[in-house]
Amino acid sequence: MEPYTTAEIFPHIRVVMGTVVGLGITRLLMTFANMVQHPDRRDRSVLHLLWMGSILLELVLFWWWELALFRLDTWNFGIVIFIIFYAVTLFMMAALLCPDNISEYRGYGDFFLKRRHWFFGLLATTFVLDTLDTFIKGGTHLSRFDASYFMQVPIGIILCIIAWRSTNQRVHLFVVGVHIVYQFFLIGRFFYVTQ
């Protein structure tokens, strides 16, 4: 039997990946819609809203940059599991930002700070997963990037460790600010168009 071609495999992977990404996006949008539906609640947090926006953008970026997998010549089950694991990691971050119930907390900001270890552990993991994902896509894809792309891993992990340890609101606002600015830098520098 002939091996499947990328044109046959990739659409199936994309459906599973898109489903997981879609669940994360849905979770974030439902939480935001709930905030709009109940404007008098005092449980909102600028920090929490910024992270919601950042992770929403991260999910969309992931879906967008995974188009490069269409050029992958050889697929194996390990790559499939890796891509699904990466998508699930992003979904888990969205789920951590959007709990079903925060009645035992003072609000979303309080919830976020008390669950920050999980969130920043997952965020640090995504920096490593992103690098592995880039290497999986091969030399042509890899050659598009310069040092500014690869510096995200050590800098991102250091910021995650700082945020993991701190409950200071200003520290967290700085970290999310850096994350958002870097996301827009990546879009402008590397991901605005597919190659």
Side-chain angles (χ1 to χ4, degrees):
M1 184 168 108
E2 295 277 327
Y4 293 109
T5 66
T6 299
E8 295 169 318
I9 294 173
F10 184 66
H12 292 284
I13 307 303
R14 189 118 169 112
V15 167
V16 174
M17 182 184 69
T19 301
V20 176
V21 167
L23 288 170
I25 290 171
T26 300
R27 189 97 187 198
L28 289 163
L29 293 179
M30 290 300 294
T31 299
F32 182 72
N34 190 16
M35 291 176 181
V36 172
Q37 291 169 356
H38 304 285
D40 295 331
R41 287 189 184 163
R42 297 177 184 241
D43 56 8
R44 284 174 197 72
S45 158
V46 171
L47 175 63
H48 177 257
L49 286 170
L50 288 171
W51 273 118
M52 282 180 60
S54 182
I55 298 307
L56 177 62
L57 182 57
E58 194 77 23
L59 284 160
V60 172
L61 276 172
F62 174 76
W63 177 84
W64 176 248
W65 72 61
E66 291 307 292
L67 284 172
L69 288 170
F70 190 73
R71 292 193 180 104
L72 202 60
D73 293 327
T74 306
W75 280 89
N76 60 51
F77 192 66
I79 294 172
V80 172
I81 292 298
F82 172 81
I83 298 302
I84 293 170
F85 177 74
Y86 193 172
V88 167
T89 303
L90 292 169
F91 166 80
M92 289 300 296
M93 292 172 62
L96 279 168
L97 289 169
C98 305
D100 294 324
N101 187 347
I102 60 166
S103 60
E104 57 199 86
Y105 302 92
R106 290 187 311 249
Y108 284 105
D110 183 47
F111 175 84
F112 176 76
L113 289 175
K114 289 185 176 164
R115 294 289 172 262
R116 72 187 185 281
H117 299 109
W118 280 98
F119 182 82
F120 289 107
L122 289 169
L123 183 60
T125 301
T126 66
F127 289 113
V128 176
L129 293 176
D130 183 61
T131 303
L132 294 172
D133 181 69
T134 300
F135 283 107
I136 286 171
K137 290 171 185 163
T140 304
H141 181 77
L142 192 60
S143 67
R144 294 177 54 202
F145 304 109
D146 58 24
S148 66
Y149 175 76
F150 293 103
M151 289 175 55
Q152 73 172 321
V153 176
I155 292 171
I157 290 173
I158 289 167
L159 288 174
C160 284
I161 291 168
I162 290 168
W164 170 295
R165 297 178 56 126
S166 177
T167 57
N168 185 305
Q169 185 91 2
R170 289 181 183 172
V171 169
H172 283 273
L173 287 170
F174 173 77
V175 171
V176 72
V178 169
H179 193 255
I180 291 170
V181 167
Y182 190 71
Q183 284 175 307
F184 281 104
F185 168 77
L186 286 177
I187 292 167
R189 182 87 169 85
F190 302 113
F191 297 120
Y192 188 71
V193 294
T194 59
Q195 291 184 359

